[in-house]
C-alpha cells in the first residue's frame, strides 16, 4: 500500500455513501400515480430541497408545493418553493414554515395527491407549538433533548406530543387527500415514523410514554410543557386513525444502502470491508471506545477480522453535554477512539455525518489515527480534558484533521470507518 493516503481513501468512501443516497438517483423509482386533481408537494429536512428538485425533474405532470430546509441547504426549484430555517435549534422562520405547510394542505379533496418529502432534521425545522405553548417552549424542549443524551426514538416521542404538526398531524390536516411520503432515513433501523418526528406518519407512542421518557432521561422542561404533556390535548393520532387509510410510505434511501456503497468502494481499491451495523446507538464516546477495542483486536490478533480490513458502521450516537466545548457526535466518537488506539500503529479512522454537518460547527466529522492523541499532547493539548468538556472540534482543528465537505443534499445518518493495515 505504498503511497496510500488514508484521508483520500476515507473521503472516497464518504462520497460513495452520499452518492448512494442522492435523491436524484433513486426518487424516480417511487413516483406515485398521477391524481385526478392537484399534486401538492410538501417536505421538511436537511435533504428536502434536493428531494424537491429531483421530484420536479422526475414528475411529468403539474405540481406545486413548499418544502422547508436548513439555512444554506437550499436547491434551485421551479415549481416547489424552498424556504430555509434554523437547525438544530428552531427559530421563527421554521415556525412560519410549519404554519405555511399546514395551510398548503388544507381544503384538499379526495381527488388530490400530497407528496411528502421527508429527511432528517425536520424535527427542528418545523416548530409548531401545540395548545398554549410558545416557540420559546419548543426551543427549550429541543435544547433539553439535545443535551440529554437520549436516543433519537425517545427525542421524537417527546417532540411529537408538544407539536401541532408532528406525529402524523400534517397528514391528518391533508385528509381526505391521499398522502404518499418518500423518506430519506437517518434513523437507526429505518423506522420511517421517527424521521423528522413523522409529520405525515403516525406511530404508536403516547403522551404517557413521553412523560416517562422525560423522567427517565432527567430532562428539565418548562412547567407549561409538562402541563401540556399531562393533558389530553397532547394526544397524537395513532396509526389506525381512518384519516391515514390509503396513505403510502416509502424509504427511498437509508444508511444500510450507503454503507454497502462505501464497502463496495473499499473493495474496489483492493481492501476487504465489513459492516458491523447500520443501527448503532449510544453515547458517542462509549461507542468510540468499543470501536477502538475492535480495531486493536484486529491489529494484534487478526480477529474477528483479518487485516488489512475496513470496518464500517452507521447509526446515530448521542452526546450528553458535560462541558461548553465545540463539536458533534462524530468528532466526539473519534476523539474517544483516538484515545483508545493511542500509540497503536496501522490503525486510521474516520467519522462524519452524511448531511455534511456534525453538531454546531461547519465540519462533517474528522480523521484520526494512532498518533492523534500524542500529536495533541505535543501541541500542548490534553485529549482527555478536551473529551471531558465535549471539545472534540477544538482537538481536531488543532491537528488540521477536520473533514469539511459542505452540505451534501442528503441525510442517512453517520458513516464511521476504521482501516487496520
Amino acid at each position: 500500500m505504498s503511497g496510500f493516503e488514508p484521508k483520500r481513501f476515507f473521503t472516497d468512501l464518504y462520497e460513495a455513501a452520499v452518492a448512494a443516497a442522492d435523491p436524484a438517483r433513486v426518487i424516480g423509482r417511487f413516483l406515485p400515480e398521477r391524481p385526478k386533481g392537484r399534486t401538492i408537494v410538501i417536505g421538511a429536512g436537511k435533504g428536502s430541497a434536493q428531494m424537491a428538485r429531483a421530484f420536479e425533474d422526475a414528475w411529468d405532470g403539474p405540481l406545486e408545493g413548499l418544502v422547508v430546509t436548513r439555512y444554506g441547504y437550499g436547491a434551485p426549484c421551479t415549481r416547489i418553493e424552498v424556504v430555509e430555517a434554523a437547525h438544530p435549534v428552531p427559530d421563527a422562520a421554521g415556525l412560519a414554515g410549519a404554519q405555511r405547510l399546514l395551510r398548503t394542505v388544507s381544503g384538499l379533496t379526495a381527488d388530490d395527491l400530497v407528496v411528502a418529502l421527508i429527511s432528517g432534521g425536520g424535527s427542528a425545522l418545523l416548530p409548531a407549538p401545540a395548545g398554549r405553548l410558545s416557540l420559546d417552549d419548543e426551543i427549550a424542549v429541543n435544547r433539553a433533548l439535545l443535551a440529554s443524551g437520549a436516543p433519537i426514538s425517545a427525542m421524537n416521542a417527546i417532540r411529537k406530543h408538544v407539536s401541532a404538526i408532528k406525529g402524523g398531524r400534517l397528514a391528518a390536516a391533508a385528509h381526505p387527500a391521499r398522502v404518499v411520503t418518500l423518506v430519506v432515513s437517518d434513523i437507526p433501523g429505518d423506522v420511517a415514523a421517527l424521521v423528522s418526528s413523522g409529520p405525515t406518519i403516525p406511530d404508536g407512542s403516547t403522551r404517557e410514554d413521553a412523560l416517562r421518557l422525560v423522567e427517565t432521561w432527567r430532562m428539565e422542561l418548562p412547567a407549561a410543557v409538562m402541563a401540556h404533556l399531562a393533558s389530553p390535548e397532547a394526544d397524537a393520532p395513532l396509526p389506525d386513525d381512518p384519516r391515514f387509510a390509503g396513505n403510502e410510505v416509502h424509504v427511498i434511501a437509508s444508511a444500510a444502502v450507503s454503507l454497502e456503497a462505501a464497502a463496495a468502494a473499499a473493495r474496489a481499491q483492493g481492501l476487504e470491508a465489513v459492516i458491523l451495523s447500520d443501527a448503532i446507538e449510544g453515547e458517542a464516546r462509549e461507542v468510540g471506545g468499543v470501536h477502538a477495542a475492535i480495531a486493536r483486536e484486529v491489529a494484534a490478533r487478526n480477529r474477528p477480522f483479518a487485516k488489512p480490513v475496513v470496518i464500517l458502521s452507521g447509526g446515530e450516537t448521542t452526546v450528553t453535554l458535560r462541558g461548553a466545548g465545540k463539536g458533534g457526535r462524530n468528532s466526539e466518537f473519534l476523539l474517544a477512539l483516538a484515545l483508545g488506539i493511542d500509540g497503536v500503529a496501522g490503525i486510521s479512522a474516520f467519522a462524519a455525518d452524511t448531511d455534511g454537518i456534525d453538531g454546531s460547527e461547519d465540519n462533517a466529522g474528522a480523521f484520526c489515527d494512532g498518533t492523534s492523541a500524542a500529536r495533541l499532547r505535543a501541541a500542548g493539548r490534553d485529549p482527555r480534558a478536551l473529551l471531558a468538556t465535549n471539545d472534540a472540534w477544538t482537538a481536531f482543528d488543532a491537528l488540521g484533521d477536520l473533514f469539511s465537505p459542505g452540505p451534501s443534499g442528503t441525510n442517512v445518518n453517520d458513516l464511521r470507518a476504521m482501516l487496520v493495515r
Side-chain angles (χ1 to χ4, degrees):
M1 302 179 71
S2 177
F4 181 81
E5 296 181 7
K7 287 185 178 180
R8 179 66 257 172
F9 171 73
F10 289 131
T11 300
D12 289 344
L13 301 195
Y14 177 85
E15 290 174 351
V18 167
D22 183 353
R25 294 179 51 169
V26 297
I27 208 164
R29 300 200 295 268
F30 299 92
L31 298 179
E33 292 184 10
R34 285 179 58 176
K36 294 179 182 178
R38 300 162 63 196
T39 299
I40 309 293
V41 178
I42 57 174
K46 299 175 192 174
S48 64
Q50 285 74 15
M51 295 176 76
R53 183 172 61 187
F55 191 86
E56 278 191 348
D57 291 343
W59 190 248
D60 65 354
L63 60 83
E64 57 193 292
L66 172 74
V67 301
V68 182
T69 193
R70 179 176 177 162
Y71 291 124
Y73 279 55
C77 295
T78 57
R79 293 173 287 171
I80 302 168
E81 184 182 355
V82 178
V83 299
E84 298 182 1
H87 182 282
V89 178
D91 70 353
L95 176 60
Q99 293 168 339
R100 287 189 60 194
L101 283 177
L102 286 165
R103 291 196 298 270
T104 297
V105 301
S106 66
L108 300 180
T109 74
D111 288 333
D112 298 324
L113 169 69
V114 174
V115 179
L117 307 175
I118 305 299
S119 58
S123 296
L125 292 167
L126 294 183
R132 290 172 292 280
L133 298 180
S134 67
L135 177 59
D136 285 342
D137 289 327
E138 194 158 352
I139 289 172
V141 170
N142 213 59
R143 290 189 188 278
L145 292 173
L146 292 173
S148 70
I152 193 67
S153 56
M155 291 188 188
N156 287 355
I158 296 168
R159 281 170 171 149
K160 81 168 198 174
H161 286 98
V162 298
S163 173
I165 197 169
K166 300 177 176 71
R169 291 180 176 88
L170 185 55
H175 181 76
R178 185 167 69 101
V179 180
V180 175
T181 304
L182 306 182
V183 179
V184 172
S185 172
D186 68 335
I187 296 294
D190 297 330
V191 180
L194 297 181
V195 181
S196 289
S197 304
T200 56
I201 310 169
D203 71 11
S205 67
T206 66
R207 61 185 171 89
E208 290 80 12
D209 295 327
L211 285 167
R212 281 193 293 271
L213 290 165
V214 170
E215 181 179 359
T216 297
W217 292 97
R218 300 178 181 178
M219 298 177 196
E220 294 187 8
L221 302 182
V225 173
M226 295 303 295
H228 176 79
L229 287 173
S231 74
E233 195 172 23
D235 288 331
L238 295 172
D240 61 358
D241 190 307
R243 289 173 294 179
F244 305 125
N247 290 354
E248 298 177 19
V249 178
H250 304 281
V251 175
I252 69 170
S254 69
V257 173
S258 287
L259 282 170
E260 291 290 355
R267 293 180 187 122
Q269 297 196 37
L271 286 162
E272 183 50 55
V274 295
I275 297 172
L276 296 179
S277 171
D278 67 346
I280 292 177
E281 298 180 277
E283 193 71 25
R285 62 183 64 190
E286 295 173 5
V287 175
V290 171
H291 278 62
I294 293 170
R296 291 197 311 269
E297 189 73 11
V298 173
R301 298 185 178 88
N302 267 329
R303 66 183 189 191
F305 316 112
K307 59 180 182 286
V309 64
V310 180
I311 303 167
L312 300 165
S313 72
E316 182 169 332
T317 61
T318 50
V319 172
T320 301
L321 292 180
R322 299 168 172 86
K326 296 191 291 186
R329 60 182 183 262
N330 285 287
S331 55
E332 179 143 328
F333 160 88
L334 210 60
L335 183 54
L337 192 153
L339 285 163
I341 61 171
D342 187 12
V344 181
I347 301 175
S348 51
F350 166 80
D353 194 324
T354 54
D355 71 11
I357 299 293
D358 181 41
S360 59
E361 304 307 312
D362 61 359
N363 64 307
F367 307 91
C368 81
D369 59 29
T371 72
S372 296
R375 286 187 287 130
L376 278 169
R377 289 190 290 267
R381 306 273 189 170
D382 181 348
R384 293 192 182 279
L386 290 166
L387 182 61
T389 55
N390 306 112
D391 207 10
W393 183 92
T394 297
F396 291 110
D397 181 55
L399 295 176
D401 286 339
L402 293 173
F403 174 64
S404 304
S408 68
T410 191
N411 184 15
V412 289
N413 232 310
D414 301 330
L415 173 66
R416 298 180 286 267
M418 301 185 297
L419 172 61
V420 186
R421 290 184 279 168

